[in-house]
Amino acid sequence: MNRATAAGFAGLACAMLTLSTLPAAADPAASQARLGDVQQALDALAKSPQVVGAIGEVYVDGERVDRGSAGTRLLNGKGGKIPTGSRFRVGSQTKQMTGVVVLQLVKEGKLKLDDKLSDLLPQVAEKDLVERAGEITLQQLVQHTSGIPNFFDDKLVGTFDFTTYYPPIELVKKSRTLPRTQEPGEKFSYSNTNYMLLGLIIEKYTKHTLAAEFERRVFDPVGMDDSYLPTTFPGGIKGPHGHGYFPDSTGKLRDVDRLNMSYGYAAGGVISTAHDISAFQRAFAQNRLLPEELKKVLMGPPRSAPQPSGQPSGPPSEGGSGQQQPPALPCGGQPAIMPLKGSAPGFNAVTFTSPDGRMQFALSATLAVSNLDESVHPLLVKAAEAVFCPQK
């Protein structure tokens, strides 16, 4: 199946991702759960000055049961509403897809979890792009325990020219200027560099582009017909969509829709829809993409160490390809609703999923503030609570 690979995406500055164990067994109560009104939840969200526009859809057992759109496509009430089925950037939700492809290669015997980085990508050792590459394993890259510094560290963000394309290996090289803070395998330490390297490993051992492998191994099998990984820069999202904004050095809001954020790639580049990202989460939960034992590898060991930039550590059940995460939504006596979040300049995108994997609320918000503004995420959580926990 052919899909467009239109250009442009905002990468993953402080993008976040939660992977939670979702039992494959069906729970009849899931389809009978009382849900709140999506449009009302989004209307309340879009009243916030931090939000330009928001779209969201709820799925139960693969069927859309509610949807909504609030705010506008452009700043200052311009551009009309965003169609609910529009594409949006999912940011670091991409990491879960990259992890799936890597572990499928493990299942096929093309890779092993204990393979050393220096053997998988000899150039990173030969050119001294990654310190101690001979000790770092594939599993450590997947689980963020390699200790490789994050190339998108606060110290390096200002060095990026967002009108210039950066090959993944150049971004890996940037991380070499930062000091290591741990031994390989010692603890969880989030680094986008890990997933840049995993993307390069996928391309080397499949002899295909990462975009092509996403199509073949994830998008086509799951029915993600409107999802793609951009390969041409710069550019915007294909089709109608909301525009996000980010304050420049003077505080003036700039439209970042067409910024050439080539640092997304395997760590945060995918563009998707509410339907598609919900379908992905459902397939992942039902072990249609990975067997249970490899899914556990992707989710990784418990985290107890502080996160980069002073962020707090996640709860013991979290790990793997996730960064610091918001808490799950408690809904009375019901199992907690788990969030999967991606964030970058101009947007926040969150997919909330029930523990049994049967219900999803996929939410995308375009912003009129920095995506690092701490007031933004609680607004998205409040919208999700209004949908999943209407009694609250």
Side-chain angles (χ1 to χ4, degrees):
M1 182 182 298
N2 291 322
R3 295 189 183 86
T5 52
F9 60 98
L12 53 132
C14 291
M16 299 189 290
L17 169 67
T18 291
L19 306 181
S20 59
T21 305
L22 303 176
D27 177 4
S31 60
Q32 301 171 6
R34 184 170 69 89
L35 299 173
D37 184 87
V38 172
Q39 186 60 52
Q40 289 181 11
L42 296 183
D43 284 340
L45 174 62
K47 288 179 181 177
S48 306
Q50 298 96 321
V51 176
V52 178
I55 56 175
E57 297 185 345
V58 173
Y59 287 82
V60 177
D61 292 334
E63 298 294 327
R64 188 181 66 201
V65 298
D66 202 0
R67 61 181 174 175
S69 175
T72 52
R73 291 181 58 246
L74 306 174
L75 195 62
N76 299 323
K78 298 179 180 179
K81 287 187 178 295
I82 309 169
T84 62
S86 295
R87 293 183 177 93
F88 53 88
R89 300 179 176 98
V90 302
S92 204
Q93 296 185 57
T94 302
K95 287 184 176 69
Q96 191 175 13
M97 303 174 195
T98 300
V100 163
V101 174
V102 168
L103 293 174
Q104 285 182 358
L105 294 174
V106 170
K107 180 183 175 184
E108 294 164 8
K110 296 181 176 68
L111 298 172
K112 296 179 181 178
L113 292 174
D114 59 358
D115 282 344
K116 298 298 192 293
L117 177 58
S118 58
D119 296 326
L120 295 169
L121 295 175
Q123 67 268 36
V124 302
E126 294 166 358
K127 298 180 181 180
D128 196 27
L129 302 181
V130 175
E131 186 180 6
R132 301 176 71 174
E135 302 173 46
I136 294 167
T137 67
L138 182 71
Q139 182 166 342
Q140 290 167 359
L141 294 174
V142 169
Q143 296 181 340
H144 284 299
T145 59
S146 72
I148 300 172
N150 186 3
F151 74 84
F152 209 71
D153 181 91
D154 293 343
K155 300 181 182 66
L156 294 182
V157 170
T159 70
F160 287 98
D161 172 4
F162 292 116
T163 64
T164 300
Y165 171 73
Y166 292 95
I169 199 67
E170 287 300 312
L171 298 175
V172 171
K173 184 178 180 180
K174 283 181 176 288
S175 72
R176 188 66 177 88
T177 65
L178 299 168
R180 288 183 59 90
T181 59
Q182 68 179 68
E183 297 293 313
E186 179 184 354
K187 61 184 180 181
F188 178 94
S189 180
Y190 179 81
S191 175
N192 291 306
T193 314
N194 290 321
Y195 275 73
M196 289 290 169
L197 290 163
L198 290 173
L200 293 171
I201 290 168
I202 289 170
E203 293 187 336
K204 177 178 177 180
Y205 286 87
T206 64
K207 303 188 186 308
H208 299 132
T209 65
L210 180 63
E213 287 301 299
F214 275 171
E215 292 278 343
R216 185 169 76 90
R217 294 174 176 272
V218 179
F219 300 159
D220 283 344
V222 171
M224 299 171 68
D225 294 339
D226 292 315
S227 299
Y228 63 96
L229 178 69
T231 57
T232 306
F233 307 92
I237 300 170
K238 183 182 179 182
H241 60 276
H243 285 225
Y245 299 80
F246 193 83
D248 64 16
S249 59
T250 69
K252 182 177 180 179
L253 289 175
R254 300 290 184 179
D255 187 332
V256 294
D257 182 60
R258 295 182 64 83
L259 279 181
N260 174 22
M261 296 183 177
S262 55
Y263 56 80
Y265 186 55
V270 165
I271 291 171
S272 190
T273 65
H275 168 275
D276 286 7
I277 198 68
S278 296
F280 173 74
Q281 283 305 307
R282 194 160 48 253
F284 182 80
Q286 295 169 355
N287 296 348
R288 288 189 278 124
L289 293 169
L290 289 175
E292 183 68 24
E293 63 272 16
L294 288 177
K295 190 168 72 173
K296 289 179 179 179
V297 171
L298 178 56
M299 292 158 55
R303 287 183 278 159
S304 58
Q307 302 303 305
S309 304
Q311 299 163 354
S313 57
S317 63
E318 297 178 12
S321 59
Q323 195 184 356
Q324 175 259 339
Q325 285 305 310
L329 300 181
C331 295
Q334 304 175 37
I337 307 299
M338 302 304 299
L340 175 101
K341 185 173 185 290
S343 170
F347 78 92
N348 269 312
V350 192
T351 307
F352 296 88
T353 301
S354 63
D356 60 14
R358 295 179 62 192
M359 292 195 299
Q360 291 82 33
F361 174 36
L363 169 63
S364 169
T366 46
L367 306 179
V369 294
S370 166
N371 61 297
L372 303 180
D373 189 317
E374 294 183 357
S375 68
V376 173
H377 185 69
L379 299 175
L380 306 184
V381 171
K382 187 175 181 180
E385 287 179 339
V387 172
F388 277 110
C389 317
Q391 73 279 7
K392 291 179 69 67

